Amino acid sequence: QLLESGGGLVQPGGSLRLSCAASGFTFSSHAMGWARQAPGKGLEWVSAISGSGGATYYADSVKGRFTISRDNSKNTLYLQMNILRAEDTAVYYCGKNWVAEGYHFDYWGQGSLVTVSS
Amino acid sequence: DIVMTQSPDSLAVSLGERATINCKSSQSVLLSSNNKNYLTWYQHKPGQPPKLLIYWASTRESGVPDRFIGSGSGTDFTLTISSLQAEDVAVYYCQQYYDTWTFGQGTKVEIK
């Protein structure tokens, strides 16, 4: 199971941190990631991190503003989002990868809504 | 970056008929060392998370009905729903994982 939290309303230029609590599998054995869906738009991959946390990956649209991290002792994934823009408004989904180093994502959480607006 | 392009953007199919969705990648997602295509298909319904249907371009995820068939190799892929059911109404996405990850723009499937 994947349970996202931390979404909400934030002003442009502000920050927000999403969390994703994982259960039911060996967390450190799987890469994890985030995808999002803006209102009326399709899915967009955002970021991913290897099982050890040693490798991170970002979409160009968020590079330099978002930081992905994980705490394997707490089975929790994070997405720190800074310098938020209106176009970051979306439902953010936490995803579990098939393996530790990144193949396909085989399970997604229910999502957390982030709204960037003044 | 690898760009994924799906066609059509939407289609309406009668119940029991075949639905075919195409996905084209801007470069090959076939890794020659293991002969695997790094491509998945997801089903996404409103208010729900995306659901994995197919990985390695043609391997059906456990529990997915066998009417969902993935095919193709290299840069051209197809998802076929052999006999459309009412519960298949959704948006379908292809995604490559050959070089980070990229989704296609999605194809909306409706009942005619």
Side-chain angles (χ1 to χ4, degrees):
Chain A
Q1 184 180 4
L2 300 173
L3 189 60
E4 300 94 338
S5 61
L9 175 63
V10 61
Q11 291 188 339
S15 298
L16 208 59
R17 188 176 82 158
L18 299 181
S19 299
C20 173
S23 60
F25 61 98
T26 305
F27 186 66
S28 60
S29 295
H30 295 268
M32 299 291 293
W34 294 93
R36 67 185 181 182
Q37 184 177 35
K41 303 291 186 180
L43 292 170
E44 178 189 16
W45 170 75
V46 172
S47 183
I49 187 168
S50 63
S52 67
T56 57
Y57 311 88
Y58 299 95
D60 288 344
S61 58
V62 305
K63 200 172 294 182
R65 300 188 300 122
F66 289 13
T67 301
I68 191 171
S69 62
R70 64 191 296 160
D71 185 336
N72 287 346
S73 69
K74 295 182 178 179
N75 289 353
T76 302
L77 174 73
Y78 303 100
L79 185 68
Q80 177 67 43
M81 303 183 292
N82 297 331
I83 318 175
L84 283 161
R85 306 165 179 165
E87 54 264 36
D88 295 318
T89 295
V91 175
Y92 284 74
Y93 296 100
C94 164
K96 166 187 164 287
N97 201 278
W98 196 48
V99 294
E101 290 300 325
Y103 284 147
H104 55 277
F105 290 91
D106 59 5
Y107 186 78
W108 299 90
Q110 289 293 325
S112 181
L113 177 62
V114 173
T115 303
V116 184
S117 175
S118 54
Chain B
D1 293 2
I2 299 177
V3 177
M4 308 300 290
T5 303
Q6 293 181 224
S7 63
D9 288 335
S10 64
L11 74 160
V13 177
S14 301
L15 288 173
E17 295 301 305
R18 174 174 300 193
T20 301
I21 301 168
N22 300 300
C23 174
K24 189 174 184 67
S25 57
S26 60
Q27 65 185 76
S28 177
V29 298
L30 172 64
L31 188 63
S32 55
S33 61
N34 60 11
N35 200 37
K36 287 186 180 295
N37 288 282
Y38 284 54
L39 183 114
T40 60
W41 288 96
Y42 294 97
Q43 178 190 66
H44 194 201
K45 297 180 179 179
Q48 297 184 21
K51 176 186 176 183
L52 175 65
L53 297 176
I54 304 282
Y55 57 97
W56 299 131
S58 61
T59 302
R60 203 176 295 114
E61 173 73 336
S62 176
V64 172
D66 59 8
R67 64 180 179 273
F68 291 93
I69 302 163
S71 62
S73 185
T75 62
D76 293 280
F77 302 90
T78 300
L79 175 68
T80 301
I81 309 173
S82 60
S83 177
L84 191 74
Q85 304 300 303
E87 61 265 32
D88 300 335
V89 170
V91 180
Y92 292 84
Y93 295 88
C94 60
Q95 184 193 46
Q96 66 81 21
Y97 48 105
Y98 184 89
D99 178 13
T100 63
W101 295 264
T102 316
F103 286 101
Q105 81 275 18
T107 295
K108 186 174 185 179
V109 174
E110 300 172 306
I111 304 295
K112 185 187 291 183

